[in-house]
Amino acid sequence: MTPTEPINPEIYNLAHQSYESNIRYDLSKKELYLLEIQLGMDVQDSFLQDHANVVVVDSQSHYANIGRMHEIIDGGFSDYDNEMQDYEHNSVFLYVLNPDNEIFGHNNELDDKNQPLVAHVFRITKPNEIHQSKGETGIFTIDDLVRLGYIDQQSALGYYNLVGAEGLSKAFSVDSNLEIKEAKPTLDKPYSFWGYKAINQYGIDNGFFYAFAYLNPSAIKSLQNSGLDLYPFMEREDIVLEDTDHGGSYVPVVLAATESTIKTFNDPSFAKNELISHFAKTPLNIIYTK
């Protein structure tokens, strides 16, 4: 959709300058802003009004640096101690788009003209041979729990029948889950729910069944009450990690792509409450980009 007011031509040209695809955690505010403009322009024709629009970005894309920068800005990670850097080659980023950004044509109707393009960021890590050659899986949540001594890898993989490369290919990990401060979720724009809905569909589309993650207790309760098949990892309610840097506690969980989970995300008549029914009404539009 063409914006109702053209973007400044100078900004347009700057946004389309050549960006290297190397990993960056040190973009300036201007570089990040221009990179998001470029992404918006590239997906503009695929954006669907009245949908939950989510962009999937491979870690090799220069657009992955948007997610990396938001991990620092909105997630509070440091460019030195961000442990996800060891998982760059097997990461995928999902960006929930803000329909009120001016690139999608709605911003001129709003009092706030500075709506960000990306409203929520997720990072996924997938199993891969590089990690497996080191005795790991590439699925960050599992590898992290093994490193911390909470679980035995063989027992954990056996518990979920993920033995061997074919078994591992059924699982991935959701490792960054970041709400962008300037994007305010509303009843009609539940960015987090849209993101989980996209993660579930991405998993189904790519042959995954299990999604592992660290979540805080309130998020777990909320998602369970919505009807999703989400449980503590290996039913271990005793595993609780304290975040000494940012505060709060986190529990490893697994979300399974069962019929109940799929219907909760997509079938308003199946929802356990009116709020989830309202959320499920919005159709999903996943946009794959390079």
Side-chain angles (χ1 to χ4, degrees), residues 47 49-53 96-101 106-107 110 112 115-116 119-120 179 182-195 275 278-279 282:
F47 183 91
Q49 295 289 357
D50 301 319
H51 282 63
N53 292 272
V96 182
L97 298 180
N98 180 356
D100 292 327
N101 182 270
H106 272 190
N107 195 254
L110 304 174
D112 182 2
Q115 292 285 320
H120 209 107
E179 179 180 300
E182 294 79 7
K184 303 296 190 294
T186 67
L187 182 64
D188 293 320
K189 291 176 289 187
Y191 298 128
S192 179
F193 183 87
W194 286 355
L275 182 63
H278 178 76
F279 291 167
T282 305

Side-chain angles (χ1 to χ4, degrees), residues 246-285:
H246 309 104
S249 59
Y250 294 86
V251 177
V253 297
V254 55
L255 174 66
T258 61
E259 182 180 3
S260 176
T261 294
I262 295 169
K263 284 187 174 181
T264 297
F265 280 127
N266 300 286
D267 185 353
S269 65
F270 183 81
K272 286 191 172 183
N273 58 63
E274 187 175 345
L275 182 63
I276 298 302
S277 176
H278 178 76
F279 291 167
K281 289 179 181 177
T282 305
L284 178 66
N285 179 36

Side-chain angles (χ1 to χ4, degrees), residues 212-228:
F212 300 104
Y214 287 122
L215 292 177
N216 63 56
S218 62
I220 293 172
K221 183 177 180 180
S222 175
L223 291 172
Q224 287 177 330
N225 289 342
S226 72
L228 301 176

Side-chain angles (χ1 to χ4, degrees), residues 153-170:
Q153 184 191 93
Q154 185 175 0
S155 298
L157 297 183
Y159 190 94
Y160 291 104
N161 195 26
L162 301 178
V163 179
E166 184 175 345
L168 275 176
S169 67
K170 299 175 183 177

